[in-house]
Each structure stands twice: as C-alpha cells, then as structure tokens.
C-alpha cells in the first residue's frame, strides 16, 4: 500500500462505483468491455486469427476500481482513464500504479473523498473567551509539521523518529494527506520554531519596563568532554507574575576562567539587548565566578547602568552556601555515614540480597522500601539517606543474620548519633527546599531562613553529644565567612516583605550579633535610600518633561487672560497654589512604607507577596518597581542547574552527534514550551506561541 492512499469500506466502494459516470468499457453489451478484474476480454479466436498476438496481463491493484482500461496497442501499452475526471495515465510495459494512486489521493478534484472538503467542512471544538465553540477545520500541512516539531522538542524525541514504522502508520491512519517530513526536514523545522520563538521572546522582553536578574552555571558533558554555560533570565512582568526563561545554552571553551565566563555572559546579554537593563547575577561560590564579576566590571560597561554602581549586582547561591556549611559539619561523622552508604549499596547490588532484605523487613514487621544511597557532594541526599536508614533500622540489623557474607554489623552502628544528627539537619533541609523554589520569590525568604539556621548552629554548642558540638564549631566558621561577604540586598528583600519590614531584621540581628545591630540597621537604611533614589532619578526624567510642558501651557493661558475678568485671576491663583503644592517635595514612598505598621492579615502561610504589591503599586509606584526587580532575584542557581538534567538527556550517547546549534535550540525551545504549560498539559497565562499565529514553517 502506498503511503498516503486511503481505501474506503466495501460499502463506500460500491457507492463510488455506482456514482461513477458510465463508460463504454464497462457496458456489458459492448463486445469490447472489460472483465470483472478490469482486463479487456479478448474476442473469440477464429480460424486464421493471428496466433502471435500479445496477450495482456491481468491487473490486480485495487486502484483500478477508480479507473477504466483503454484499448491496448500493438506494443501492449494502454491508458488508465479516471472514471471521474477523465484523466489518462499510460500503463503497460511494467509501468507502476503510483501515479494513479497519487491522482486519486490528491489530484482528482471530482473524486468523492477529495470533493468532501469543498462541499462539507469538518468541525472542531475550540476554546474562546465565551466558552467552547465549533469552528471549521481544514487540513494544513504546515501546521501539522509545526506541531510535530513542538512534539519532538517538548518530549525529547530523536529526529529519526519520523522513520519509525508505527509512527508513520499512525500518521497515515490519522491523516493520509499528511506528508511525513524527513529527518533533516524535521531538524530544520525545530530550528525554525526556535528562531521564531526567539524573536517572540525578544520582543516581549523589550516591551517590559522592569530590570532582569540572571543565574548562570557551567556543565561538562562526559561524552564530548566539553563545557557548556546556561544562562537563565528572571523577571516579574506587568501582571506581577514571576517568569523564568533559559535564554542561552552555549559551549564554553576551556579553561573556564573568569575572563571566558565574563566574555560569554556579556556577549549573550548584548545579543538579547539586556546589557543596560540588568539588575543582579546569581552565581555559585567558585573562585572563577568571583573573577568573572571583576572582569565584567573592569572590561565591560555593564557597571555604568547598574543601580548603586553594581553594589548589589553579585549574589551568591544560598543553597550552595548551605551545602558548604553542612558538608563541613558532616565531616565529624563521616565514618558512620560511610558505613550506612556501603550497607545500602551492598544490599541493592544483587537480586538475591534484595530478596533477603524483603524477608528481613517482613520479619521486622516494617514496610519494605528499596535501599538508596546518597551523592556525597549533595548533603540533602545524605540527609534523605539517613532518614531512610532510620526507618529501615530494624530490617538492616536483622539482615546481618540472614546474610553471613555481609561483613558490616548495622546493630553496632551509632544509631543514637545518627538520629541526633538528622534532627539537627532537618532545619537545613527545610530551608534548602524553600530557597530552591522557582515558582515564587525566594530572596525575601533568605534572611529569616539563614538566621534560623545560624540560631540552630549556635544551639549545637549545648548538645550532650561531643560530635554535635564539634560539628557546630565547624559550621560556625563557615557561616561567619559567608555572612561577612554578603551584601545588603538580602536584608532589603526581607524589609520589602510586608510581613517583616524592619522588625524581623532587627529581631534576628539582636539575637545573632547584638553589638552590631544598630550599625547594621543604619547601613541598611542608607543602602535602601540610595537604591530607592536611583529609581526615583530613572523615573524623574519623563515626569519632568511632562511637568515642564504642562507648566508652559499654564503660563501661556495665564498671560492671555491677564486682561480678563477677576474670575480668571482667581482661577490662575488657584492653579498657582496647586502648582506650588505639587512642587513641594512629597513624603518619600520608602519612608511612608516603613512608617506603616505590619498588617496582621498578611501574617499567613498562604500570603502572596506579589499580589500584595500589585494592589499597592498605585500607592507606591516607584517603590513597587524597585520591589518588582528585587523579588525577581532568585537566591539559588537551581533554575540554571535544571537545564543540565535536560541537556544530559538531549546529549545522550545515542544523540552525541548533535551540533551546538541544535543543542541550544532544543534546550531553550523546550524550556519556553514547558513554561507555558502546566503539569496537566494546559496553558498557564499567555503562551509564547500559537500554531495559528506563530508563523509558518516551510522548507
């Protein structure tokens, strides 16, 4: 069966043949009629007939149901005549029927199935502002190809999936008219879709009035031994919705020095026209990232357009700081953690050991759970491993009696120390979960969470366990190091949270550093005032131009009416008084915000800080703009690191031949698609793309 040809049921075939125009070749009274199989019946042989006359071969293709057979010439050739439009196709001498099939499938305008689109439209359900409505549907090859490209991008299918037999079968059954693209055409469609969405996102970002914050991280592909850099853009749009987009994923030449990182980062900011609208860059604590900031300030003009001369531009990843602090503390109990890790690995190594462990769980009367071990460089995975080990403690102790070759004795582990360690690590784990979010602001949460962690560390000094006291001392040194190099933006974000304001900062500073509290609050106020004044100056230029224009107009009107009545003079006097009142410096929005008390209604776990500021933006127009830019700053690089899990799948060993252009297109386009769709597959907010309006995809 040829690709794209669809055959009707037997009832439709009989109806089509019945509707077909009469042809002399099908008349049973005609001596030259064709037989039931479509072959012309030869006349009866008489004496003297030519015995060497060529005999035509019997036709068997089903497409002959729609064609009549013309007379056969001396060479054995004949015409296949369409029953509906009369088109002729030369047959015989080993000619195929592909042209006849294509004619019936697409070319014959009088064929009933092809005529159906012109006579009767198919309907499809479509969502609109008024609800669901039925609209006419017409097959569009370009829209189908675009939808296929989106499918491949979103679900990480290989380009050669179009060569899979059953996928082609599915397309043929769903829509025989769809011409399945080749592997290279599909790649071109994906690249073109990325380019279209790149332009769309570029225009959307250009229309926003906010500043943008960025996260960046590096990743090395083991298969290629090449480094890549991902840059994520974070902002809050005009509807006060937090957005995140991966704007680039590019190879980074080695060595990964601060100079190379800075050059690649600034180049992409210029490409997206965001170099003059940057606010903050969040990086992990690698020394090369510190050098990157120095290179950006020394070799590029980015610092000239930053608020307060870039004093709050560089932020360190909060989750990475917590990871370093806990890693130093865990080193005092490394032997017990190593034994638990080895036990988990040993049991899960073979199916026989797993069966014995299931028996141990059954005998211990606890539910069976698969053993799992941690990633040593990720302390939160170590915490989860220890929690699981405590749950499986009876079975682990029982297992040593069932497996005589097991050399460790879990019953002799220091389970009391492990349980105490887990109780202290719970604070760190919960803080990490809060600060790793990407769907809500996190910068305003860092200061109170970080302070609670420090209070927990200080409480370790009074623990009855010596190793906990030692662990607290190790953590305190690391905490003091990162606290001293942090900037004021973390505390400013906390103050701009209407649930906290200055009260929360004052409380924790008195608990942690009582002798430094007054100094810290005074410096914090100065920094907030300087940052706010920068935003006032940015907004003042347009307002001044409008005010000067209005004032000139008022002066002209007043001068023209000077010779008028006293009523006009009084009106001019009122305008003058109003102008003087407006010219007096009003009370600062920042001062007004800080002077108001904390609203008790906002002290709620379900409090939406973005919704609160959206409602207060008419009252605090400039302060709300500053708050919008600050709350968009993420406190962790999770957004950029999440790109590496996707890139690891895209750059699997089976797809390691993808070039850099394809890698960036697939990864960025997938992020933009998924950002517009929630877990249920429905659109969230206004999507970046629509099949109808996103532009066509052509060869």
């Amino acid at each position: 069966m040829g690709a794209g040809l669809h055959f009707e049921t037997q009832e439709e075939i009989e109806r089509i043949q019945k509707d077909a125009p009469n042809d002399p070749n099908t008349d049973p009274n005609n001596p030259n009629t064709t037989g039931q199989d479509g072959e012309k019946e030869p006349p009866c042989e008489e004496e003297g007939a030519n015995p060497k006359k060529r005999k035509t071969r019997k036709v068997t293709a089903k497409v002959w149901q729609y064609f009549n057979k013309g007379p056969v010439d001396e060479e054995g050739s004949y015409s296949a005549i369409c029953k509906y439009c009369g088109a002729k196709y030369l047959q015989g001498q080993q000619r195929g029927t592909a042209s006849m099939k294509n004619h019936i499938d697409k070319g014959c305008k009088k064929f009933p199935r092809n005529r159906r689109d012109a006579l009767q439209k198919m309907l499809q359900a479509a969502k609109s502002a008024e609800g669901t409505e039925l609209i006419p549907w017409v097959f569009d090859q370009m829209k189908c190809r675009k939808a296929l490209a989106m499918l491949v991008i979103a679900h990480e299918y290989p380009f050669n999936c179009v060569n899979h037999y059953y996928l082609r079968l599915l397309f043929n059954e769903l829509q025989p008219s769809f011409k399945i693209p080749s592997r290279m055409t599909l790649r071109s469609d994906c690249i073109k879709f990325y380019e279209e969405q790149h332009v769309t996102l570029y225009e959307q970002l250009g229309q926003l009035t906010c500043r943008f914050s960025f996260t960046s991280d590096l990743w090395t592909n083991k298969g290629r031994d090449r480094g890549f850099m991902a840059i994520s853009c974070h902002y809050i749009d005009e509807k006060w919705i937090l957005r995140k987009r991966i704007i680039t994923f590019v190879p980074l030449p080695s060595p990964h020095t601060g100079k190379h990182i800075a050059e690649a980062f600034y180049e992409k900011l210029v490409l997206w026209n965001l170099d003059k609208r940057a606010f903050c860059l969040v990086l992990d604590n690698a020394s090369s990232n510190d050098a990157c900031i120095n290179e950006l300030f020394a070799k590029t003009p980015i610092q000239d357009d930053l608020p307060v001369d870039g004093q709050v531009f560089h932020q360190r990843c909060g989750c990475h700081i917590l990871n370093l602090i806990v890693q130093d503390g865990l080193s005092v109990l490394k032997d017990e953690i190593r034994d638990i890790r080895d036990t988990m690995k040993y049991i899960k190594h073979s199916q026989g050991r797993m069966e014995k462990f299931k028996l141990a769980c059954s005998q211990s009367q606890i539910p069976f759970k698969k053993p799992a071990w941690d990633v040593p460089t990720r302390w939160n995975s170590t915490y989860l491993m220890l929690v699981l080990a405590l749950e499986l403690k009876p079975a682990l102790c029982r297992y040593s009696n069932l497996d005589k070759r097991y050399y460790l004795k879990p019953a002799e582990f220091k389970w009391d120390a492990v349980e105490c360690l887990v109780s202290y690590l719970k604070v760190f784990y919960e803080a990490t979960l809060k600060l790793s979010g990407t769907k809500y602001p996190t910068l305003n949460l860092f200061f109170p969470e970080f302070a609670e962690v420090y209070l927990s560390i200080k409480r370790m000094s009074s623990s009855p366990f010596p190793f906990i006291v030692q662990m607290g001392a190790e953590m305190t040194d690391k905490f003091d190091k990162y606290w001293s190099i942090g900037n004021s933006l973390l505390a400013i974000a906390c103050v701009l949270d209407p649930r906290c304001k200055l009260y929360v900062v004052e409380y924790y500073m008195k608990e942690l550093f009582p002798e430094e509290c007054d100094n810290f609050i005074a410096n914090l106020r100065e920094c907030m005032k300087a940052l706010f004044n920068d935003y006032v100056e940015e907004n003042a230029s347009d307002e001044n131009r409008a005010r000067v224009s209005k004032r000139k107009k008022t002066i002209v009107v007043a001068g023209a009416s000077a010779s008028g009545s006293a009523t006009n003079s009084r009106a001019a006097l009122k305008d003058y008084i109003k102008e003087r009142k407006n010219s007096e410096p009003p009370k600062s929005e920042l001062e007004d915000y800080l002077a108001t008390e904390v609203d008790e209604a906002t002290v709620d776990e379900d409090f939406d800080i973005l919704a609160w500021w959206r409602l207060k933006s008419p009252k605090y127009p400039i302060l709300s703009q500053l708050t919008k830019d600050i709350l968009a700053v993420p406190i962790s690089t999770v957004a950029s690191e999440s790109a590496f899990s996707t890139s690891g799948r895209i750059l699997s060993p089976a797809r390691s031949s993808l070039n850099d252009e394809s890698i960036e297109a697939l990864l960025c386009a997938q992020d933009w698609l998924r950002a517009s769709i929630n877990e249920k597959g429905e659109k969230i907010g206004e999507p970046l793309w629509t099949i109808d309006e996103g532009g066509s995809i052509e060869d």
Side-chain angles (χ1 to χ4, degrees):
M1 182 185 299
L5 184 60
H6 175 73
F7 295 107
E8 289 77 2
T9 61
Q10 185 63 31
E11 291 76 5
E12 286 190 354
I13 293 175
E14 293 177 357
R15 180 177 57 79
I16 291 173
Q17 290 178 341
K18 186 176 180 180
D19 294 341
N22 293 330
D23 189 274
N25 291 330
T26 61
D27 188 357
N29 298 323
N30 190 342
N32 294 327
T33 184
T34 56
Q36 212 172 20
D37 56 359
E39 179 188 358
K40 183 176 179 181
E41 296 180 355
C44 299
E45 294 185 6
E46 299 180 357
E47 293 183 6
N50 185 6
K52 296 184 179 180
K53 186 175 181 179
R54 179 174 296 180
K55 183 177 180 180
T56 58
R57 185 170 60 88
K58 181 178 180 180
V59 293
T60 59
K62 292 183 179 180
V63 73
W64 279 101
Q65 298 173 88
Y66 313 120
F67 288 84
N68 292 322
K69 192 173 180 181
V72 183
D73 59 15
E74 295 180 356
E75 297 180 356
S77 300
Y78 53 91
S79 297
I81 307 172
C82 178
K83 295 180 179 180
Y84 304 96
C85 65
K88 297 182 180 181
Y89 293 89
L90 188 62
Q91 294 294 315
Q93 295 185 352
Q94 297 182 352
R95 291 185 174 90
T97 58
S99 58
M100 300 164 60
K101 293 176 183 178
N102 291 334
H103 174 75
I104 291 297
D105 190 32
K106 299 178 181 179
C108 185
K109 297 181 179 180
K110 295 185 178 181
F111 187 66
R113 189 177 69 244
N114 297 338
R115 196 169 64 233
R116 193 176 301 152
D117 286 339
L119 299 179
Q120 180 179 356
K121 298 290 185 182
M122 295 183 65
L123 299 178
Q124 67 174 351
K127 292 183 179 180
S128 64
E130 301 177 355
T132 304
E133 60 180 355
L134 295 177
I135 60 174
W137 175 85
V138 178
F139 169 73
D140 191 320
Q141 173 74 14
M142 293 299 104
K143 289 182 181 179
C144 291
R145 279 177 52 182
K146 188 168 189 176
L148 177 59
M150 292 159 58
L151 173 73
V152 170
I153 291 172
H155 298 286
E156 303 171 9
Y157 296 147
F159 292 143
N160 64 358
C161 68
V162 292
N163 297 328
H164 296 173
Y165 174 79
Y166 286 105
L167 185 63
R168 300 180 70 90
L169 178 63
L170 174 64
F171 287 152
N172 189 45
E173 292 295 329
L174 292 175
Q175 178 51 260
S177 301
F178 177 55
K179 183 180 178 181
I180 303 174
S182 65
R183 174 178 61 87
M184 296 306 297
T185 303
L186 177 59
R187 177 191 175 277
S188 300
D189 289 349
C190 293
I191 298 296
K192 188 159 190 177
F193 176 81
Y194 160 74
E195 293 173 349
E196 291 172 355
Q197 302 314 308
H198 186 286
V199 173
T200 303
L201 181 59
Y202 180 89
E203 294 174 352
Q204 288 183 356
L205 298 182
Q207 295 172 359
L208 297 175
T209 58
C210 63
R211 287 182 174 268
F212 300 88
S213 296
F214 306 92
T215 58
S216 180
D217 210 345
L218 304 181
W219 174 74
T220 301
N221 178 28
K222 295 180 180 179
R224 293 188 173 192
D225 293 329
R226 294 185 60 189
F228 290 85
M229 181 176 71
I231 301 177
S232 298
C233 174
H234 304 259
Y235 60 96
I236 297 176
D237 62 13
E238 304 301 325
K239 297 181 179 180
W240 284 86
I241 300 176
L242 182 63
R243 305 288 189 185
K244 185 271 298 181
R245 297 291 186 271
I246 297 176
I247 59 175
T248 189
F249 187 85
V250 293
L252 188 68
S254 58
H256 299 161
T257 60
K259 179 181 178 181
H260 289 163
I261 298 173
E263 291 175 352
F265 176 79
Y266 188 74
E267 178 185 353
K268 292 303 176 182
L269 256 60
V270 172
L271 176 65
W272 283 87
N273 195 25
L274 300 177
D275 53 309
K276 297 182 181 300
R277 303 169 64 191
F279 183 79
C280 184
L281 174 60
V282 182
L283 302 169
D284 61 25
N285 296 280
S287 58
S288 58
N289 288 332
D290 294 337
C292 167
I293 299 298
N294 295 332
E295 286 287 333
L296 281 174
F297 286 173
K299 302 295 180 61
T300 68
I302 191 173
Q303 189 176 7
D304 299 338
D305 300 295
L306 293 175
V308 290
D309 296 329
Q311 295 179 25
V312 297
F313 177 67
H314 181 206
Q315 288 295 325
R316 300 176 185 274
C317 174
C319 295
H320 194 253
I321 292 175
L322 289 177
N323 183 52
L324 295 176
I325 293 174
V326 178
Q327 288 289 356
D328 278 8
L330 291 179
S331 61
V332 301
L333 208 65
K334 58 183 179 181
D335 294 336
E336 286 73 13
I337 295 175
R338 184 196 61 232
D339 291 342
I340 292 176
R341 182 185 300 121
D342 293 343
T343 299
M344 296 291 192
K345 289 182 178 180
Y346 178 85
I347 294 175
K348 203 173 180 180
H349 184 72
S350 69
Q351 184 63 30
R353 296 172 186 173
M354 287 292 292
E355 293 295 334
K356 291 180 181 179
F357 186 68
K358 288 181 181 179
L359 178 60
C361 290
S362 177
Q363 293 177 353
S364 302
Q365 297 181 353
I366 62 174
F368 168 76
K369 292 184 179 181
K370 289 184 178 180
W373 58 91
D374 64 333
V375 179
T377 57
R378 298 287 183 177
W379 79 265
N380 52 338
S381 66
T382 303
Y383 169 80
L384 295 176
M385 179 189 70
L386 297 179
V387 170
L388 179 61
L390 289 174
E391 294 178 4
L392 299 176
K393 173 185 172 182
L396 292 174
C397 296
R398 182 71 179 172
Y399 179 80
S400 60
N401 298 329
L402 299 177
D403 189 349
K404 300 302 181 182
R405 295 195 300 176
Y406 180 49
Y407 61 94
L408 293 175
K409 301 295 181 182
E412 300 176 1
F413 290 172
K414 299 178 181 178
W415 291 107
D416 292 341
V418 173
E419 188 172 357
C420 181
L421 175 64
V422 167
S423 65
Y424 278 100
L425 292 181
K426 185 177 181 180
V427 178
F428 294 85
Y429 180 73
E430 292 176 349
T432 301
L433 289 182
K434 286 185 180 180
L435 301 179
S436 300
T438 57
K439 297 182 179 179
Y440 55 86
T442 56
L443 192 66
N444 58 307
L445 304 176
F446 183 80
F447 188 89
E449 291 295 331
F450 208 48
E452 282 293 335
V453 167
Y454 195 20
L455 290 176
S456 178
I457 293 175
K458 293 182 69 174
R459 286 192 290 268
M460 289 181 179
S461 60
S462 59
S463 173
F465 294 93
F467 80 92
I468 293 293
V469 176
Q470 183 182 356
M471 184 173 70
E474 297 283 347
M475 290 182 173
T476 300
D477 294 339
K478 185 71 70 174
F479 185 95
D480 291 339
K481 172 186 175 182
Y482 287 107
W483 181 270
S484 61
I485 61 178
N487 58 43
S488 301
L489 190 62
L490 304 174
I492 293 175
C494 180
V495 173
L496 293 176
D497 189 331
R499 297 168 295 179
C500 304
K501 296 194 175 180
L502 277 172
Y503 303 111
V504 172
V505 178
E506 290 176 349
Y507 169 77
Y508 282 115
M509 285 303 298
K510 289 179 180 179
E511 290 289 325
L512 298 175
F513 309 102
E515 66 282 355
E516 301 177 8
C517 179
D518 294 339
N519 237 352
F520 184 87
I521 296 299
N523 293 334
L524 177 62
R525 284 181 176 274
E526 289 297 323
C527 185
M528 290 181 64
K529 186 177 179 180
L531 193 57
F532 177 75
N533 289 338
D534 276 6
Y535 274 72
V536 171
E537 291 177 3
E538 288 182 3
N539 288 271
S541 56
D542 295 336
E543 294 179 0
N544 285 338
R545 281 193 292 267
R547 189 177 299 170
V548 169
S549 176
K550 184 177 180 181
R551 186 175 180 181
K552 287 181 179 179
K553 189 180 297 183
T554 304
I555 293 174
V556 171
V557 172
S561 61
S563 60
S565 63
T567 304
N568 293 336
S569 298
R570 288 194 207 93
L573 177 60
K574 290 181 179 179
D575 292 340
Y576 174 75
I577 294 173
K578 185 177 180 181
E579 182 183 351
R580 286 297 304 270
K581 287 183 177 180
N582 292 335
S583 63
E584 294 178 0
K587 188 177 181 180
S588 167
E589 294 179 17
L590 179 61
E591 295 173 354
D592 184 29
Y593 169 77
L594 295 177
T596 56
E597 297 293 331
V598 175
D599 187 0
E600 295 182 0
T602 62
V603 185
D604 188 1
E605 292 183 357
D606 298 329
F607 174 72
D608 188 348
I609 186 174
L610 296 181
W612 191 91
W613 275 103
R614 183 178 68 248
L615 295 176
K616 296 295 182 180
S617 57
K619 182 179 179 181
Y620 306 116
I622 299 178
L623 184 61
S624 63
Q625 186 65 41
L626 170 62
T627 305
K628 180 187 292 187
D629 295 341
I630 290 178
L631 293 182
V633 179
I635 195 55
S636 70
T637 57
V638 171
S640 297
E641 291 176 358
S642 63
F644 301 145
S645 60
T646 301
S647 60
R649 296 190 300 269
I650 291 177
L651 287 174
S652 62
R655 307 178 68 188
S656 58
S657 60
L658 289 175
N659 58 26
D660 297 336
E661 180 188 18
S662 299
I663 295 170
E664 183 178 22
L666 291 174
L667 192 139
C668 293
Q670 184 194 73
D671 177 75
W672 301 341
L673 284 174
R674 291 184 175 180
S676 302
I677 300 176
N678 63 13
E679 295 177 356
K680 296 182 180 179
E682 298 176 350
K683 296 176 183 176
I684 299 178
E686 297 181 1
L688 279 174
W689 50 268
T690 58
I691 295 180
D692 293 327
E693 301 176 359
S696 61
I697 297 180
E698 301 176 358
D699 286 332

